[in-house]
Amino acid sequence: MTISSTIQKWGNSQGIRIPKFILEQINLDTNSDVSISVKNDSIIIKKANRKHIPLTERFENYTGEVQSGEYDWGEPQGDEIW
């Protein structure tokens, strides 16, 4: 099935609305992660193949220095309330 849609301006971006029945066909919903690519003159939208990686696993090979504590941002420069 092919449907027509119009590219619309949304803030500083442009977008199209995808009908719910199309999203349901590939099990997507609001806030689903997708990958977007271009091939020839087509835009291809697919379910993202994201695997949840725990934070500890993301940093398991990190060998840099760990810095923690407070950071001195200096004196107020305007009407900040400290």
mmCIF file of all heavy atoms in Angstrom, residues 1-3 5 8 10 14 24 27-28 36 51-52 60 66 69-70 76 78 82:
data_model
loop_
_atom_site.group_PDB
_atom_site.id
_atom_site.type_symbol
_atom_site.label_atom_id
_atom_site.label_comp_id
_atom_site.label_asym_id
_atom_site.label_seq_id
_atom_site.Cartn_x
_atom_site.Cartn_y
_atom_site.Cartn_z
ATOM 1 N N MET A 1 0.840 -1.172 0.000
ATOM 2 C CA MET A 1 0.000 0.000 0.000
ATOM 3 C C MET A 1 0.890 1.242 0.000
ATOM 4 O O MET A 1 1.865 1.319 0.709
ATOM 5 C CB MET A 1 -0.909 0.003 1.224
ATOM 6 C CG MET A 1 -1.636 1.326 1.384
ATOM 7 S SD MET A 1 -2.546 1.473 2.907
ATOM 8 C CE MET A 1 -4.046 0.687 2.422
ATOM 9 N N THR A 2 0.541 2.209 -0.789
ATOM 10 C CA THR A 2 1.260 3.478 -0.848
ATOM 11 C C THR A 2 0.298 4.596 -0.470
ATOM 12 O O THR A 2 -0.841 4.627 -0.944
ATOM 13 C CB THR A 2 1.804 3.735 -2.272
ATOM 14 O OG1 THR A 2 2.671 2.651 -2.625
ATOM 15 C CG2 THR A 2 2.551 5.031 -2.337
ATOM 16 N N ILE A 3 0.746 5.495 0.388
ATOM 17 C CA ILE A 3 -0.063 6.663 0.738
ATOM 18 C C ILE A 3 0.747 7.913 0.436
ATOM 19 O O ILE A 3 1.967 7.863 0.295
ATOM 20 C CB ILE A 3 -0.484 6.658 2.226
ATOM 21 C CG1 ILE A 3 0.750 6.746 3.130
ATOM 22 C CG2 ILE A 3 -1.304 5.447 2.563
ATOM 23 C CD1 ILE A 3 0.406 7.101 4.548
ATOM 24 N N SER A 5 1.815 11.896 1.551
ATOM 25 C CA SER A 5 1.947 12.757 2.719
ATOM 26 C C SER A 5 2.662 14.023 2.282
ATOM 27 O O SER A 5 3.163 14.108 1.166
ATOM 28 C CB SER A 5 2.731 12.034 3.822
ATOM 29 O OG SER A 5 2.683 12.773 5.021
ATOM 30 N N GLN A 8 6.228 18.855 6.310
ATOM 31 C CA GLN A 8 5.804 20.062 7.001
ATOM 32 C C GLN A 8 6.931 20.584 7.883
ATOM 33 O O GLN A 8 7.772 19.819 8.349
ATOM 34 C CB GLN A 8 4.579 19.766 7.867
ATOM 35 C CG GLN A 8 3.395 19.301 7.069
ATOM 36 C CD GLN A 8 2.236 18.872 7.952
ATOM 37 O OE1 GLN A 8 2.415 18.465 9.086
ATOM 38 N NE2 GLN A 8 1.031 18.967 7.412
ATOM 39 N N TRP A 10 8.392 21.833 11.288
ATOM 40 C CA TRP A 10 8.167 21.688 12.719
ATOM 41 C C TRP A 10 9.356 22.319 13.419
ATOM 42 O O TRP A 10 10.435 21.730 13.487
ATOM 43 C CB TRP A 10 8.055 20.220 13.118
ATOM 44 C CG TRP A 10 6.799 19.544 12.669
ATOM 45 C CD1 TRP A 10 5.678 20.130 12.173
ATOM 46 C CD2 TRP A 10 6.538 18.138 12.663
ATOM 47 N NE1 TRP A 10 4.738 19.198 11.869
ATOM 48 C CE2 TRP A 10 5.237 17.956 12.155
ATOM 49 C CE3 TRP A 10 7.263 17.030 13.028
ATOM 50 C CZ2 TRP A 10 4.657 16.700 12.019
ATOM 51 C CZ3 TRP A 10 6.684 15.787 12.892
ATOM 52 C CH2 TRP A 10 5.397 15.631 12.400
ATOM 53 N N GLN A 14 11.978 19.650 9.583
ATOM 54 C CA GLN A 14 10.855 19.281 8.747
ATOM 55 C C GLN A 14 10.483 17.848 9.104
ATOM 56 O O GLN A 14 11.324 17.080 9.567
ATOM 57 C CB GLN A 14 11.199 19.362 7.256
ATOM 58 C CG GLN A 14 11.390 20.775 6.733
ATOM 59 C CD GLN A 14 12.716 21.375 7.131
ATOM 60 O OE1 GLN A 14 13.724 20.697 7.137
ATOM 61 N NE2 GLN A 14 12.721 22.654 7.474
ATOM 62 N N GLU A 24 2.050 0.191 13.083
ATOM 63 C CA GLU A 24 1.625 -1.081 13.679
ATOM 64 C C GLU A 24 2.085 -2.280 12.858
ATOM 65 O O GLU A 24 2.369 -3.342 13.405
ATOM 66 C CB GLU A 24 0.107 -1.113 13.853
ATOM 67 C CG GLU A 24 -0.375 -0.207 14.954
ATOM 68 C CD GLU A 24 -1.893 -0.101 15.039
ATOM 69 O OE1 GLU A 24 -2.584 -0.494 14.072
ATOM 70 O OE2 GLU A 24 -2.380 0.388 16.076
ATOM 71 N N ASN A 27 5.456 -2.962 14.105
ATOM 72 C CA ASN A 27 5.545 -2.928 15.563
ATOM 73 C C ASN A 27 6.337 -1.721 16.089
ATOM 74 O O ASN A 27 7.214 -1.868 16.925
ATOM 75 C CB ASN A 27 6.128 -4.248 16.097
ATOM 76 C CG ASN A 27 5.848 -4.431 17.563
ATOM 77 O OD1 ASN A 27 4.854 -3.922 18.080
ATOM 78 N ND2 ASN A 27 6.713 -5.153 18.247
ATOM 79 N N LEU A 28 6.042 -0.533 15.579
ATOM 80 C CA LEU A 28 6.627 0.710 16.078
ATOM 81 C C LEU A 28 5.542 1.529 16.747
ATOM 82 O O LEU A 28 4.370 1.416 16.410
ATOM 83 C CB LEU A 28 7.246 1.530 14.940
ATOM 84 C CG LEU A 28 8.550 1.017 14.363
ATOM 85 C CD1 LEU A 28 8.975 1.893 13.187
ATOM 86 C CD2 LEU A 28 9.648 0.969 15.398
ATOM 87 N N ILE A 36 17.540 5.931 10.140
ATOM 88 C CA ILE A 36 17.115 6.592 8.909
ATOM 89 C C ILE A 36 18.309 6.634 7.961
ATOM 90 O O ILE A 36 19.395 7.056 8.357
ATOM 91 C CB ILE A 36 16.612 8.020 9.185
ATOM 92 C CG1 ILE A 36 15.471 7.982 10.211
ATOM 93 C CG2 ILE A 36 16.157 8.698 7.896
ATOM 94 C CD1 ILE A 36 15.053 9.354 10.701
ATOM 95 N N LYS A 51 20.828 -2.328 21.278
ATOM 96 C CA LYS A 51 20.844 -3.240 22.407
ATOM 97 C C LYS A 51 21.189 -2.412 23.636
ATOM 98 O O LYS A 51 22.124 -1.614 23.597
ATOM 99 C CB LYS A 51 21.908 -4.316 22.177
ATOM 100 C CG LYS A 51 22.065 -5.297 23.297
ATOM 101 C CD LYS A 51 23.168 -6.293 22.976
ATOM 102 C CE LYS A 51 24.322 -6.013 23.904
ATOM 103 N NZ LYS A 51 25.435 -6.924 23.766
ATOM 104 N N HIS A 52 20.439 -2.568 24.709
ATOM 105 C CA HIS A 52 20.723 -1.824 25.930
ATOM 106 C C HIS A 52 22.051 -2.303 26.502
ATOM 107 O O HIS A 52 22.245 -3.487 26.758
ATOM 108 C CB HIS A 52 19.619 -2.013 26.963
ATOM 109 C CG HIS A 52 19.926 -1.364 28.265
ATOM 110 N ND1 HIS A 52 19.914 0.007 28.420
ATOM 111 C CD2 HIS A 52 20.301 -1.872 29.455
ATOM 112 C CE1 HIS A 52 20.251 0.303 29.655
ATOM 113 N NE2 HIS A 52 20.484 -0.824 30.304
ATOM 114 N N GLU A 60 33.869 -0.256 30.766
ATOM 115 C CA GLU A 60 34.756 -1.297 31.280
ATOM 116 C C GLU A 60 36.182 -1.201 30.726
ATOM 117 O O GLU A 60 37.126 -1.612 31.391
ATOM 118 C CB GLU A 60 34.164 -2.679 31.041
ATOM 119 C CG GLU A 60 34.109 -3.113 29.595
ATOM 120 C CD GLU A 60 33.415 -4.454 29.425
ATOM 121 O OE1 GLU A 60 33.008 -5.063 30.439
ATOM 122 O OE2 GLU A 60 33.265 -4.885 28.275
ATOM 123 N N VAL A 66 39.808 9.258 36.459
ATOM 124 C CA VAL A 66 38.464 9.537 36.946
ATOM 125 C C VAL A 66 38.534 10.751 37.846
ATOM 126 O O VAL A 66 39.298 10.783 38.803
ATOM 127 C CB VAL A 66 37.878 8.333 37.725
ATOM 128 C CG1 VAL A 66 36.523 8.679 38.297
ATOM 129 C CG2 VAL A 66 37.804 7.117 36.830
ATOM 130 N N GLY A 69 34.033 15.265 42.262
ATOM 131 C CA GLY A 69 34.037 16.364 43.214
ATOM 132 C C GLY A 69 33.374 17.585 42.620
ATOM 133 O O GLY A 69 32.747 17.537 41.567
ATOM 134 N N GLU A 70 33.516 18.694 43.314
ATOM 135 C CA GLU A 70 32.906 19.939 42.872
ATOM 136 C C GLU A 70 33.790 20.652 41.862
ATOM 137 O O GLU A 70 35.005 20.507 41.870
ATOM 138 C CB GLU A 70 32.657 20.855 44.066
ATOM 139 C CG GLU A 70 31.619 20.307 45.020
ATOM 140 C CD GLU A 70 31.314 21.278 46.145
ATOM 141 O OE1 GLU A 70 31.625 22.480 46.004
ATOM 142 O OE2 GLU A 70 30.760 20.828 47.155
ATOM 143 N N PRO A 76 30.158 34.914 40.175
ATOM 144 C CA PRO A 76 28.982 35.219 39.353
ATOM 145 C C PRO A 76 29.291 36.327 38.349
ATOM 146 O O PRO A 76 30.013 37.271 38.655
ATOM 147 C CB PRO A 76 27.947 35.684 40.380
ATOM 148 C CG PRO A 76 28.395 35.098 41.678
ATOM 149 C CD PRO A 76 29.885 35.043 41.596
ATOM 150 N N GLY A 78 26.691 37.725 36.320
ATOM 151 C CA GLY A 78 25.467 38.459 35.983
ATOM 152 C C GLY A 78 24.546 38.508 37.178
ATOM 153 O O GLY A 78 24.966 38.834 38.289
ATOM 154 N N TRP A 82 23.379 32.704 44.021
ATOM 155 C CA TRP A 82 24.230 31.621 44.518
ATOM 156 C C TRP A 82 23.842 31.287 45.901
ATOM 157 O O TRP A 82 23.872 31.734 46.856
ATOM 158 C CB TRP A 82 25.702 31.989 44.413
ATOM 159 C CG TRP A 82 26.137 32.102 42.981
ATOM 160 C CD1 TRP A 82 25.982 33.183 42.180
ATOM 161 C CD2 TRP A 82 26.754 31.119 42.168
ATOM 162 N NE1 TRP A 82 26.475 32.938 40.930
ATOM 163 C CE2 TRP A 82 26.961 31.681 40.906
ATOM 164 C CE3 TRP A 82 27.163 29.828 42.393
ATOM 165 C CZ2 TRP A 82 27.557 30.986 39.864
ATOM 166 C CZ3 TRP A 82 27.756 29.147 41.362
ATOM 167 C CH2 TRP A 82 27.936 29.722 40.104
#
